[in-house]
Amino acid sequence: MEVRSRSRTEKTIQILEVVNGYPDDNNNNEGITQATLMSKLFLGYEQMKEYLMRLIEDDLLSYDTTMSTFKITEKGRTFLQAYNQIDQILKEHKI
C-alpha cells in the first residue's frame, strides 16, 4: 500500500469540508474546535494552527472567540463549491 502525502490544497479543502459539514445532524452550528479538527484530519497542532490562521486571513473561516470554535464563511462556502466543480470536471475528463 502506497502512502501519499496530502498537498496543501488537499489539506485546505479537507479543513473547509469538515468545518462546513460540522455538525452533520443539526442546523445549530456553533462551530468546531481546533482539537476536533486535528483529530478528524490527522494534523498536528502547529500545522493545523498555520492552516487555520491562513484560512482566517483569507476570510474562508471565522473564529468565534467566545466559543473557541471555527466556522466557514460565505466566501469559504463559495470557494469550496467552485473547487468541487472544477475537481469534478477534471475527473470527468481524466485530467
Side-chain angles (χ1 to χ4, degrees):
M1 173 191 237
E2 179 182 337
V3 176
R4 185 178 69 83
S5 295
R6 295 175 286 180
S7 70
R8 290 185 67 82
T9 302
E10 288 172 317
K11 291 175 190 173
T12 298
I13 294 302
Q14 288 174 343
I15 291 168
L16 291 174
E17 285 176 337
V18 169
V19 174
N20 188 47
Y22 189 85
D24 296 326
D25 55 356
N26 67 46
N27 293 329
N28 186 18
N29 186 355
E30 295 179 358
I32 187 169
T33 65
Q34 182 172 339
T36 302
L37 272 171
M38 288 169 45
S39 68
K40 287 184 174 288
L41 297 171
F42 305 106
L43 290 173
Y45 175 79
E46 288 299 325
Q47 192 175 34
M48 181 61 72
K49 182 177 164 186
E50 175 188 332
Y51 278 93
L52 292 173
M53 287 175 50
R54 186 171 46 96
L55 291 168
I56 290 169
E57 287 172 6
D58 292 340
D59 194 34
L60 300 175
L61 289 181
S62 64
Y63 182 69
D64 182 333
T65 55
T66 305
M67 301 292 289
S68 299
T69 57
F70 297 89
K71 293 181 183 180
I72 193 164
T73 63
E74 194 56 42
K75 182 179 175 182
R77 281 189 195 86
T78 301
F79 176 83
L80 188 57
Q81 183 180 30
Y83 175 85
N84 286 329
Q85 288 173 342
I86 292 168
D87 189 49
Q88 184 62 37
I89 291 167
L90 294 175
K91 286 177 182 174
E92 288 172 3
H93 295 285
K94 296 181 174 121
I95 298 174

